[in-house]
Amino acid sequence: MSWLYRLVNQASMGLGLLGTIAILLMVVHVTLDVILRSTLSISIPATLELVTRYYLITLALLPLAWVEWRKNMIAVEALESLMSPMLIRMSDVLVSLLSAIVYAVLMVATWGKAMEQFAIGSYVMALNFPMPVWPTYFVLPVSFCLAAIVCLVRIPLLASGTAYPADSKEG
C-alpha cells in the first residue's frame, strides 16, 4: 500500500510543480510584454489569451491534488475540541469520502465539456491567428480526478488514525 501513497504523492507534487512553472512562465511572459510595450511599443501577440486561457487555469487547478494531499484545504474545526478521537477520525473519513464524491462529479461534468471542445477544435482568434484553447479544458477533469483519488487513497489512513506521508512533510 505504501507504493500507492508514494505514487499519489509524486503525482500530486508533479501537478503542483506544473502549477508553479505556470506561475513563473506567466510572470516572465507578462513582465516581458510590459517591458517591450513600454520601451519599444511592441506587444507580444496573444498575451491576454495565453494568460486567461492557459496560465490562470493551470496555476489554479493543477495543484489541487497537492493541496488535498498536504491537508491544506480550508477546514472548520469549531466542534473538534468537543469530539472524541474516534469521532474526529470518523468525521475526517466522512469529509474525505464526500470530497471524493464531489470531485468525481466535477470530473465527469468537466470531462464531457472537454470532449465537446476537443471535438469542435475550440480556438480563439488572437491577431489573426487561431489559437487552440481546447487543451485547457482537459486541465479541469485531470485535476478533479487526481484530487478524488487523493481523497480516496487517504481514507484507510484516516480511518486507522495513522499518519501518512504528508504528515511527515515529505511532499
Side-chain angles (χ1 to χ4, degrees):
M1 197 70 159
S2 66
W3 66 269
L4 183 60
Y5 301 127
R6 280 195 307 274
L7 179 67
V8 169
N9 186 36
Q10 289 175 354
S12 62
M13 282 181 55
L15 290 180
L17 180 62
L18 286 176
T20 303
I21 291 170
I23 291 171
L24 294 174
L25 287 173
M26 182 178 69
V27 167
V28 169
H29 186 146
V30 171
T31 302
L32 189 59
D33 185 53
V34 168
I35 290 171
L36 287 174
R37 194 176 320 153
S38 298
T39 57
L40 303 174
S41 297
I42 298 171
S43 182
I44 298 175
T47 297
L48 177 64
E49 290 80 6
L50 283 170
V51 168
T52 57
R53 298 289 188 140
Y54 281 88
Y55 295 136
L56 290 179
I57 290 173
T58 304
L59 71 91
L61 289 169
L62 278 184
L64 185 62
W66 179 75
V67 172
E68 275 289 350
W69 186 250
R70 303 274 298 171
K71 296 191 278 187
N72 286 338
M73 294 299 267
I74 295 172
V76 178
E77 299 170 347
L79 301 176
E80 197 168 276
S81 63
L82 304 173
M83 299 165 71
S84 68
M86 178 64 161
L87 196 55
I88 292 171
R89 282 199 316 260
M90 288 174 44
S91 171
D92 288 345
V93 167
L94 183 62
V95 167
S96 192
L97 182 62
L98 184 61
S99 296
I101 291 169
V102 169
Y103 286 136
V105 168
L106 289 170
M107 177 196 66
V108 170
T110 57
W111 179 259
K113 186 68 172 176
M115 290 305 293
E116 176 185 312
Q117 295 300 311
F118 172 72
I120 63 172
S122 182
Y123 66 93
V124 294
M125 291 300 290
L127 298 174
N128 295 327
F129 174 74
M131 185 176 82
V133 294
W134 63 263
T136 60
Y137 284 89
F138 287 96
V139 171
L140 281 81
V142 167
S143 298
F144 292 138
C145 178
L146 190 55
I149 291 169
V150 164
C151 290
L152 291 174
V153 163
R154 73 175 171 201
I155 287 176
L157 291 170
L158 291 172
S160 67
T162 58
Y164 65 91
D167 292 339
S168 62
K169 304 298 180 202
E170 289 176 7

